[in-house]
Amino acid sequence: MKVRIIGLPEGEIIKEYPEKLKAELILREVEDQLPYPAYGCRIDNAYRGLLHVVYHDCTLEFLDIRCQAMWLVYQSSLVMLYIKAVHDVLGKKVQVTVNNSLSKGLFTVIKNNSKPDEETISRIDRQMRKLVEQDLPIIKRHLNRQEITALTEELKQKETGNLIASIPSLNHVEIYSLEDETQIFYNFLVPSTGYLKYFELRPYKNGILLRYPHQSDPLKIPEYEDQKLLYDAFSEATKWGKLMGIKYVDDLNNRILNKQTEDMYLMQEALHEKKIANIADDIAKSRKRIVLICGPSSSGKTTFAKRLCIQLNVLGIKTLYMGTDDYFVEREDSPIGPDGEKDFESIKAVDTKLFVRQMKELLDGKTVDLPVFDFISGTKIYGQRITSIAKDQVIVIEGIHALNRTLTEGIDEKEKFKIYISPFTPISVDRHNRISTTDCRLLRRLVRDYQFRGWPVARTLASWPKVRSGEDQNIFPYHGEAKVFFNSNCIYELAVLKKYVEPLLKEVTRSEPEYAEAQRLLEFFRYIEPVEDDDAIANNSIIREFIGGSVIVH
């Protein structure tokens, strides 16, 4: 059996084996050549755990947490270790809930009727490190529907039992055991606790932050940053979920199976509209004249910005809507990224001097010839938008660099009202399996790129790592600049997106490098019931920006 191992710093190698063996054993032979610890692999373009048995000629690549899928594998494995340690320290009856990502980690709550003190957290930390040192095996088993239903009853895992019951088509599930701890996870875990060396526990609010390395530096716990704005946003999202009676995926599935979706659509739009109206009120009271809206890819910035303009108009405030894409430098002047290609995500790809000069001129009451960027020729065109604004008019600007002070350097800070937008889902699969915000945005983008750009999903999947890298550099460091956060998630959106994106993901063939990511997303969709009829969703809804039918985004 010949195994072609790729992705090594010094190039690929071919190894021959007389019989089948686990990928973990192959890893042992080459791990000293890898830049970072591997937590899984890709075999013939399919993600596999390290316990996967290699039994035929293949191409194999070991993956670390720079790969999004392996970052999620590390997180899930760490959650398993954490739950085990909590139960060892505080007892089996204590419930552990993983709420959301926060401060480069996961915000967790231990429900034992008291806030965990530093001594308790220290004991949990010591137990986790003891378990890592012991390098205990994490054992995987496949259970059919009947077996898993019986197990959830035995373990009193109500949310998981409800989830299985809400998915008629689900026939099997994988469970994992670490000594006496048994839990269900929806992606594979590492083979043993010895892989989980990098983590930090930190008290926060009424819970504990479980922190781990970021993809940009796989061997280091990132510097702590208190993200109060995001904590408050997740708290608000949770409140919205409670108002709609949807906390876990099974709640959403049952609404769909029982054809009780219209009230859900209306409630979501009412919550969004009320929030946008409140933000408009805040802007009016502040008397600020420049509104800056920033958010990562597929956050719904355009729909939100235009709906905000409408709410400001309702208050008698005239607005000028602008996107920053028209201020790209001439394509021939675009900066070059580390990969040797033009970097359109960088702030250096924006003509900030022109932008600042024209914004100042508008605020001073001058008439300005605003550019329109021609993406075909790669140049700015003038003469099409000669504009001036009134003294009390507000400029609403959306773009990925809107909160980067370089974009508006020289404009008085007193004039700026800053907003950050992202889709934070308030629902989880169950108590300890959260839904990744990054994956939600990716699914939105897959649908939008196909619907409005004609891109096959493989192209969007291939470009996504570069988009994410750009976000880490150009967007996420600046969210703390914002005064207000807007959560653009529609609580039902995964069920709606499934109808559009699932057939497209199935078209990605095994021969394409993006096959592994397509299969990972398809596996996730096993737990989501689809919405087949979305006609009742309002035509100004943020989700319409992606699925089509919007009266705001054309």
Side-chain angles (χ1 to χ4, degrees), residues 51-151:
L51 294 183
H52 179 80
V53 176
V54 180
Y55 59 91
H56 58 75
D57 293 356
C58 64
T59 298
L60 183 152
E61 180 180 12
F62 290 108
L63 302 171
D64 55 59
I65 65 169
R66 291 176 297 174
C67 167
Q68 171 74 5
M70 295 308 119
W71 199 36
L72 296 175
V73 164
Y74 192 85
Q75 291 174 42
S76 295
S77 303
L78 200 58
V79 167
M80 178 64 163
L81 176 69
Y82 176 65
I83 293 172
K84 163 66 173 167
V86 169
H87 286 164
D88 285 351
V89 171
L90 299 176
K92 278 284 193 178
K93 293 184 178 180
V94 172
Q95 288 185 334
V96 179
T97 302
V98 178
N99 284 347
N100 50 262
S101 60
L102 188 72
S103 298
K104 298 292 193 297
L106 298 172
F107 178 65
T108 73
V109 175
I110 297 174
K111 295 196 175 180
N112 62 344
N113 299 319
S114 64
K115 178 180 177 180
D117 56 34
E118 291 199 13
E119 172 57 27
T120 300
I121 295 172
S122 179
R123 288 170 60 202
I124 296 168
D125 182 279
R126 289 197 299 271
Q127 180 62 12
M128 290 178 70
R129 297 188 189 282
K130 178 182 177 182
L131 293 169
V132 170
E133 188 176 344
Q134 291 174 336
D135 195 20
L136 300 171
I138 300 175
I139 299 168
K140 179 174 74 172
R141 286 185 290 156
H142 293 271
L143 299 186
N144 62 34
R145 188 180 184 87
Q146 184 176 356
E147 291 170 331
I148 195 61
T149 300
L151 181 64

Side-chain angles (χ1 to χ4, degrees), residues 314-455:
V314 168
L315 297 175
I317 300 172
K318 292 182 179 179
T319 57
L320 172 66
Y321 165 79
M322 295 182 61
T324 56
D325 285 357
D326 288 314
Y327 286 87
F328 275 126
V329 298
E330 306 301 289
R331 188 164 295 157
E332 61 187 24
D333 298 325
S334 297
I336 304 300
D339 58 1
E341 298 182 5
K342 292 184 183 299
D343 183 2
F344 300 113
E345 307 290 325
S346 168
I347 186 68
K348 294 179 181 179
V350 180
D351 191 339
T352 55
K353 290 183 179 179
L354 173 64
F355 182 83
V356 170
R357 188 181 78 240
Q358 292 199 332
M359 293 308 102
K360 283 183 172 181
E361 289 172 347
L362 285 171
L363 293 174
D364 290 340
K366 296 179 181 178
T367 298
V368 179
D369 187 357
L370 301 175
V372 174
F373 195 83
D374 185 332
F375 286 89
I376 297 176
S377 65
T379 187
K380 291 187 283 292
I381 298 174
Y382 293 91
Q384 296 184 3
R385 288 198 306 169
I386 299 174
T387 307
S388 63
I389 61 173
K391 288 184 178 180
D392 59 350
Q393 195 164 348
V394 171
I395 307 173
V396 177
I397 301 163
E398 59 97 352
I400 65 171
H401 299 293
L403 298 187
N404 186 332
R405 293 197 177 198
T406 302
L407 180 70
T408 54
E409 189 175 7
I411 298 175
D412 193 339
E413 285 294 311
K414 295 179 181 178
E415 296 281 11
K416 304 172 189 176
F417 190 98
K418 300 177 181 180
I419 302 170
Y420 187 77
I421 174 174
S422 189
F424 288 176
T425 178
I427 61 174
S428 298
V429 179
D430 57 27
R431 191 173 292 279
H432 61 269
N433 285 282
R434 71 182 188 92
I435 295 174
S436 163
T437 294
T438 299
D439 280 349
C440 291
R441 293 192 294 107
L442 172 57
L443 292 167
R444 283 180 170 192
R445 181 153 176 159
L446 289 170
V447 174
R448 185 191 65 189
D449 284 357
Y450 179 80
Q451 296 268 78
F452 303 112
R453 298 179 180 177
W455 286 20

Side-chain angles (χ1 to χ4, degrees), residues 441-481:
R441 293 192 294 107
L442 172 57
L443 292 167
R444 283 180 170 192
R445 181 153 176 159
L446 289 170
V447 174
R448 185 191 65 189
D449 284 357
Y450 179 80
Q451 296 268 78
F452 303 112
R453 298 179 180 177
W455 286 20
V457 294
R459 179 176 176 181
T460 301
L461 289 172
S463 68
W464 188 244
K466 190 171 183 178
V467 171
R468 288 281 295 109
S469 176
E471 292 170 347
D472 286 337
Q473 296 175 43
N474 303 309
I475 299 175
F476 299 141
Y478 303 102
H479 69 77
E481 292 277 327

